[in-house]
Amino acid sequence: MILVRNWLWQSIDPGSFEAPGAISSFALAVSFRSVIVTSLAAFASLPLLYGLHILALPLAQMAKLIVAFSWLFAGTLSGTLAYVAGNVIRDLDCSRAEFQRLSQTDSLTGLANRRAFNDTLATVHGEASLAIIDIDRFKRINDRFGHQAGDEVIRTIAVVLGRVFGNTLLVSRLGGEEFGVILKGGTVEQRLAMLEQARQAVASDVNVFDDNKLAVTVSIGVAEFMPGRRVEGVYAAADRALYLAKDCGRDRLVHERNLPFVEAPAHEAGGLVRNSRVSMPRG
């Protein structure tokens, strides 16, 4: 029975239901299979039914009735159910895909969110750069102009970052006024040049909120993915580079090579060599 069920509903691929006519084709295929199974079962039972003298009609007439009723009941019913099930499966798959997209999208900016960033961060292999971007003196903007102005600034910067980096790189909002970017391809210098372009683009844009002109800048900390280096170490180094950018006056990009201390190799001390300076609050 299980084999029959699997054969009737085999090759169900919810993704294929997006194609025009895919559900109708699936329903028709299930209908054909149901007719075949029903007809075979009916023909197999004929010797027993004739032997018990339950049937008196000629075999040829019974064969016609079996095929007709198989199409009328099994074919029509199974085809209808398959069509309904196909639509339900497609709708559920679309809902699941939309939920998955929303669960990895920041609602304010439309960028990837922290969850998507962490998922991607864990899969980075080979040479790449991690940049943490923080809006300078963001609390002052909120305090002076209100949270609506702050939200508008975040959205504007998201647009600038999307324009600079395009759709081929991961640009995410990590939360609050902080963004994360993972850059792959090219040399370190080329990736830094792209980040510097983003910093300058933000600084050159004048954000207007209720006729108030807001000059907004960002600070950027950058660290490198390297073979054998842990993701936690890359993130910590980029974070320390960002703090150094803040300490040095903001509106600048700092690479981890400018840090007074760097990450220890994986076989030494099992982790990071911490920067001994006292961290100041970001802003």
Side-chain angles (χ1 to χ4, degrees), residues 102 146-147 159-160 176 192 196:
L102 291 175
H147 290 282
V159 171
V160 172
L192 290 177
E196 177 63 17

Side-chain angles (χ1 to χ4, degrees), residues 9-223:
W9 296 88
Q10 68 180 348
S11 303
I12 297 179
D13 179 10
S16 67
F17 288 166
E18 294 297 322
I23 294 179
S24 297
S25 298
F26 165 72
L28 188 60
V30 171
S31 181
F32 270 115
R33 293 170 184 173
S34 298
V35 170
I36 293 173
V37 171
T38 305
S39 299
L40 290 176
F43 281 118
S45 66
L46 286 180
L48 177 62
L49 295 176
Y50 275 114
L52 295 175
H53 304 288
I54 296 176
L55 296 178
L57 294 176
L59 181 60
Q61 190 172 352
M62 280 302 305
K64 293 179 181 179
L65 287 175
I66 287 173
V67 173
F69 277 99
S70 295
W71 272 109
L72 183 62
F73 293 104
T76 302
L77 180 60
S78 62
T80 301
L81 291 176
Y83 185 81
V84 173
N87 280 283
V88 171
I89 292 172
R90 181 183 62 184
D91 291 343
L92 288 175
D93 190 62
C94 290
S95 297
R96 182 193 60 80
E98 179 64 12
F99 176 79
Q100 179 71 12
R101 184 189 68 81
L102 291 175
S103 70
Q104 296 192 332
T105 302
D106 176 61
S107 59
L108 179 62
T109 63
L111 298 176
N113 62 12
R114 185 69 182 242
R115 176 181 177 183
F117 176 82
N118 289 339
D119 290 345
T120 303
L121 196 64
T123 63
V124 175
H125 299 288
E127 293 187 0
S129 298
L130 167 64
I132 302 178
I133 303 173
D134 192 80
I135 304 174
D136 295 328
R137 297 184 173 89
F138 184 72
K139 187 176 183 301
R140 293 186 183 180
I141 296 174
N142 277 337
D143 291 344
R144 183 177 178 183
F145 301 104
H147 290 282
Q148 286 186 330
D151 288 348
E152 187 61 33
V153 167
I154 290 174
R155 280 192 291 263
T156 301
I157 291 179
V159 171
V160 172
L161 296 180
R163 185 174 70 239
V164 172
F165 297 114
N167 297 322
T168 58
L169 304 169
L170 178 71
V171 183
S172 61
R173 182 187 175 205
L174 303 182
E177 68 272 27
E178 196 169 79
F179 299 85
V181 181
I182 298 175
L183 302 93
K184 301 181 69 174
T187 64
V188 174
E189 287 70 23
Q190 289 172 332
R191 296 194 291 268
L192 290 177
M194 185 175 292
L195 287 165
E196 177 63 17
Q197 179 186 349
R199 185 195 65 79
Q200 294 178 9
V202 171
S204 64
D205 278 13
V206 176
N207 299 278
V208 179
F209 183 80
D210 286 346
D211 296 326
N212 294 303
K213 291 185 177 181
L214 309 178
V216 180
T217 61
V218 295
S219 298
I220 305 176
V222 187

